[in-house]
Amino acid sequence: MWVDLHVHTSFSDGTLTPREVVREARAKGLSALAITDHDTLDGLEEAKRAGELFGIMVIPGVEISVDLGEGRSSHLLGYGLDGKWSSFGDFLGKMRLSRVERNRAILEKLRSLGLALDPKEITDEADEARIGRPHIAQAMVRKGYVRSVDEAFARYLTRGAKAYIPRRRPSCTEAMEAIREAGGVPVLAHPHTVGIEGLAELEMCIGKLVREGLMGVEVLYPDAPFAIRRFLSDLCERWGLLKTGGSDFHGGLKPEVHLGFGRGDLRVPLEWARLLKEAMEKAKEFKS
Ligand code: AMP
Ligand code: ZN
Ligand code: FE
Ligand code: FE
């Protein structure tokens, strides 16, 4: 029995609603699913209800862009959070505000490059905070400014490109504290994207985060090289960290990545979801 612990919905830059994602999980024969939208917990309620309806274990989660220092950035997953902790709500509110400001700055920059986009051409979604660079990239394709989403990123939106605007990010330390303070479990997402060359350096980087409260590592991820998957799995066993894994499903935005199975070779065991749930329950007890 397989699970998927990294999934986006239309509450951020995924194209399926939480209910549709849960239904897809059921169709794929998955037994558990964690919803990890960027900067928001708003899709969780609908996902939970759909989970009950379709008989799928739904784990609440969130994904946050963080600063690792030394010019490095990464994504942090937080599991087991609910809307109950207003301090965490405030923390996410700041994240969404910085996203809205960044989106506006990108549109301004594109306009100055002769690539004007009306906000209404990007989405009919009222909530600007749901918009990410993928939405802007798709709108650029529709306008005929570029041929593909990849081209939009490569020429304009990726870090260092012509219309790239950095976003204010919390430090990873700060984000881990906010998650733990709210009774959640912080996990480092897709560590191979941190921008580290050697495994020894990656181990040092993760070691520092563990001393600051990191509880797990995303070991399985569609694009992670196999040597890294093996290395991370060993590291988790040596250090007693939680292992997680997921497809980073975005629906039609990344059509080649399938829910649960990624590019076809992803298999995340149900046991990992069970252990994660156990850790979530302990983290919650500890706070209450
Ligand atoms: P944002 O949340 O606005 O920073 O956008 C991040 C999203 O953009 C992530 O979900 C990535 O999947 C997507 N993304 C980042 N870089 C690229 C790229 N080079 N090509 C396609 N999608 C990308
Ligand atoms: Zn995303
Ligand atoms: Fe990510
Ligand atoms: Fe993601």
Side-chain angles (χ1 to χ4, degrees), residues 2-23:
W2 311 114
V3 304
D4 193 333
L5 301 175
H6 187 157
V7 175
H8 295 274
T9 77
S10 53
F11 280 78
S12 63
D13 52 3
T15 55
L16 302 190
T17 65
R19 189 190 153 93
E20 287 167 341
V21 164
V22 174
R23 199 173 51 195

Side-chain angles (χ1 to χ4, degrees), residues 58-77:
V58 172
I59 295 173
V62 69
E63 183 173 27
I64 298 164
S65 302
V66 294
D67 196 324
L68 286 174
E70 300 170 44
R72 291 185 185 130
S73 62
S74 188
H75 291 170
L76 188 67
L77 296 161

